């Protein structure tokens, strides 16, 4: 049994987010999950280009988010089965540890986790529900708002 060594929780990423890996040619790979200290990506078994890369970028398909020049090192590589049965490409999960991030990159990464992960989406829905319930509870009936017909 492997002991969990992460300091930060990792969150599954929504389907529209990708990592851009910059050796020639540029590769776009799906992000499986992300944390403040690293990222998990799904790559094709035949791809060896990850060994030559030192920086990645994170982007969302609709261009609503883009974070560049993230230093990383590969820390684990394991075979995985495709999530989608129609996609018969054998691949592997690569776990990448972020290098030293700038304060701006850390801030952008927090924003990405809040807005583009399954945890972030759930949290936003929950916060809206709580706010709505608080507003309903806070409203009090007043005599001026009641039309009693008198």
């Amino acid at each position: 049994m492997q002991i969990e060594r992460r300091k930060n929780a990792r969150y599954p990423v929504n389907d529209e987010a990708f990592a851009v890996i910059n050796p020639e040619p540029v590769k776009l790979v799906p992000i499986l999950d992300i944390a403040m200290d690293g990222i998990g990506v799904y790559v094709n078994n035949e791809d060896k280009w990850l060994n030559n890369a030192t920086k990645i970028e994170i982007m969302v398909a609709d261009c609503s988010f883009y974070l560049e020049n993230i230093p990383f090192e590969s820390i684990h590589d394991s075979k995985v089965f495709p999530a989608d049965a129609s996609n018969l490409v054998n691949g592997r999960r690569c776990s990448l540890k972020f290098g030293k991030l700038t304060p701006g990159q850390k801030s952008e990464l927090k924003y990405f986790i809040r807005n583009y992960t399954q945890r972030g989406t759930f949290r936003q829905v929950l916060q809206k529900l709580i706010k709505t319930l608080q507003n309903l509870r806070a409203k009090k009936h007043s005599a001026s708002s009641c039309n009693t017909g008198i």
Side-chain angles (χ1 to χ4, degrees):
M1 181 167 78
Q2 185 175 3
I3 298 171
E4 183 67 33
R5 297 182 309 257
R6 284 185 186 80
K7 291 186 286 185
N8 299 299
R10 63 179 169 176
Y11 305 103
V13 175
N14 297 339
D15 291 339
E16 71 273 2
F18 299 92
V20 181
I21 306 189
N22 282 334
E24 292 294 327
V26 171
K27 296 286 185 176
L28 189 68
V29 296
I31 299 172
L32 300 173
D33 52 46
I34 193 164
M36 285 303 294
D37 54 358
I39 189 169
V41 295
Y42 180 81
V43 298
N44 186 327
N45 269 337
E46 286 74 41
D47 289 336
K48 304 293 184 217
W49 44 265
L50 187 58
N51 299 337
N52 301 325
T54 59
K55 301 210 184 231
I56 62 170
E57 299 165 358
I58 298 172
M59 68 172 285
V60 175
D62 67 1
C63 299
S64 60
F65 181 88
Y66 184 77
L67 179 56
E68 61 184 342
N69 294 322
I70 304 169
F72 76 93
E73 63 177 288
S74 180
I75 57 170
H76 186 71
D77 203 336
S78 60
K79 184 163 177 63
V80 293
F81 296 101
D84 182 1
S86 67
N87 178 3
L88 298 178
V89 175
N90 286 329
R92 63 189 203 275
R93 173 196 170 83
C94 291
S95 297
L96 311 175
K97 180 180 177 184
F98 296 139
K100 183 151 177 66
L101 301 176
T102 67
Q105 287 174 319
K106 287 179 185 176
S107 177
E108 289 292 315
L109 192 54
K110 285 178 187 176
Y111 176 86
F112 179 83
I113 289 171
R114 275 194 313 270
N115 293 284
Y116 295 98
T117 65
Q118 292 174 14
R119 175 198 183 265
T121 304
F122 175 76
R123 184 176 174 204
Q124 287 177 351
V125 169
L126 186 60
Q127 285 176 339
K128 286 181 183 180
L129 178 63
I130 289 169
K131 187 175 181 178
T132 301
L133 291 174
Q134 286 173 340
N135 287 340
L136 289 174
R137 188 173 150 202
K139 289 183 181 178
K140 296 189 167 97
H141 296 286
S142 65
S144 61
S145 65
C146 256
N147 185 357
T148 59
I150 298 177

